[in-house]
Amino acid sequence: MTRSKYESQGFLRNHSKTYKVPRRPFEKERMDSEMKLIGEFGLRNKREIWRVQYVLSKTRAAARELLTLDAKDPKRLFEGAALMRRLHRMGVLDEDKNELDYVLGLKINDFLERRLQTQVYKLNLARSIHHSRVLIRQKHIRVGKQVVNVPSFLVRQENQAHTDFALSSTFGGGRPGRVRRRTLASKKGGDGGEGEEEES
């Protein structure tokens, strides 16, 4: 069966789900907890919470499935080690927690803490969690040598120490911003005018 011209040009693609909506949309306790998380971590909307919850549920489901297997089962040994290694690299789990049981104890806050927006605020690069989001979106923040403008970017453990202002940013020693340049130009213009008056 030949592919149509639309498929070959990339018009029809299968996208996997990135979040799952709550089964009960108007449950008061869940709505209150979601609003608290939005305020605490400076999230844009509830979809950002649902996306992290989806990742968390998939991770815990994988750990639950592996725990049903025998302790010496090759699948459990191989996939379990890979899962733990990934969580350690992300910084979600501490290095000393090497058992699958710890994965079942993960909370949504553990993933939200690893977001770039949260890390920038905790590194005192921003005045508030909302200011942190603005800095990231305006490309003032880099992770390593790469400028990242996605607030939900998950910072790995080894990159945490390399999160700083971008070299091209005003805050990182780059070119002054538009308002700053205008202020400096007006000061220079004012100094020149005073000098001419003194000469006359």
Side-chain angles (χ1 to χ4, degrees):
M1 182 178 174
T2 58
R3 297 174 65 190
S4 66
K5 67 174 183 178
Y6 295 107
E7 289 183 20
S8 61
Q9 291 174 4
F11 288 111
L12 301 176
R13 290 195 183 124
N14 289 325
H15 294 286
S16 59
K17 286 197 300 184
T18 58
Y19 66 94
K20 189 176 179 182
V21 296
R23 192 172 296 171
R24 294 179 181 148
F26 301 109
E27 192 176 9
K28 186 178 185 304
E29 290 182 5
R30 181 191 51 76
M31 290 173 70
D32 290 342
S33 64
E34 285 176 349
M35 291 304 294
K36 186 178 178 183
L37 286 172
I38 286 175
E40 184 180 350
F41 293 97
L43 307 178
R44 185 179 64 172
N45 51 35
K46 291 186 179 181
R47 193 183 300 125
E48 292 196 317
I49 297 176
W50 299 339
R51 193 164 59 220
V52 176
Q53 279 178 339
Y54 188 70
V55 173
L56 175 61
S57 65
K58 297 281 273 187
T59 305
R60 293 177 64 181
R64 264 197 309 272
E65 183 186 350
L66 292 173
L67 283 169
T68 59
L69 302 174
D70 186 66
K72 294 183 179 180
D73 189 287
K75 181 179 179 181
R76 175 171 174 172
L77 293 173
F78 181 75
E79 293 187 11
L83 178 64
M84 299 304 294
R85 195 162 53 244
R86 191 174 78 227
L87 293 174
H88 289 154
R89 195 165 62 235
M90 286 168 58
V92 176
L93 272 181
D94 295 331
E95 291 289 339
D96 57 338
K97 296 181 178 179
N98 290 316
E99 298 293 329
L100 285 170
D101 296 316
Y102 290 113
V103 180
L104 300 180
L106 287 175
K107 305 293 182 189
I108 189 171
N109 291 47
D110 297 321
F111 282 87
L112 292 174
E113 289 283 350
R114 300 308 307 171
R115 283 166 50 95
L116 180 59
Q117 183 178 355
T118 311
Q119 292 298 316
V120 168
Y121 175 57
K122 291 202 166 186
L123 290 169
N124 294 322
L125 299 176
R127 293 190 295 270
S128 69
I129 195 74
H130 303 290
H131 183 223
S132 170
R133 190 181 187 95
V134 173
L135 290 176
I136 295 166
R137 290 298 298 157
Q138 293 180 354
K139 299 183 179 180
H140 288 294
I141 302 298
R142 65 182 168 91
V143 179
K145 294 181 180 179
Q146 182 68 43
V147 175
V148 182
N149 67 337
V150 182
S152 61
F153 177 82
L154 293 180
V155 182
R156 289 184 177 181
Q157 195 70 33
E158 67 263 22
N159 292 332
Q160 187 169 345
H162 304 292
T163 304
D164 204 349
F165 288 118
L167 299 177
S168 58
S169 167
T170 309
F171 305 106
R175 185 186 180 202
R178 175 173 51 86
V179 177
R180 179 67 176 160
R181 289 199 306 270
R182 192 166 57 198
T183 307
L184 291 172
S186 64
K187 282 183 179 179
K188 286 181 181 177
D191 294 342
E194 290 175 5
E196 290 174 6
E197 289 177 5
E198 288 176 2
E199 289 174 4
S200 59

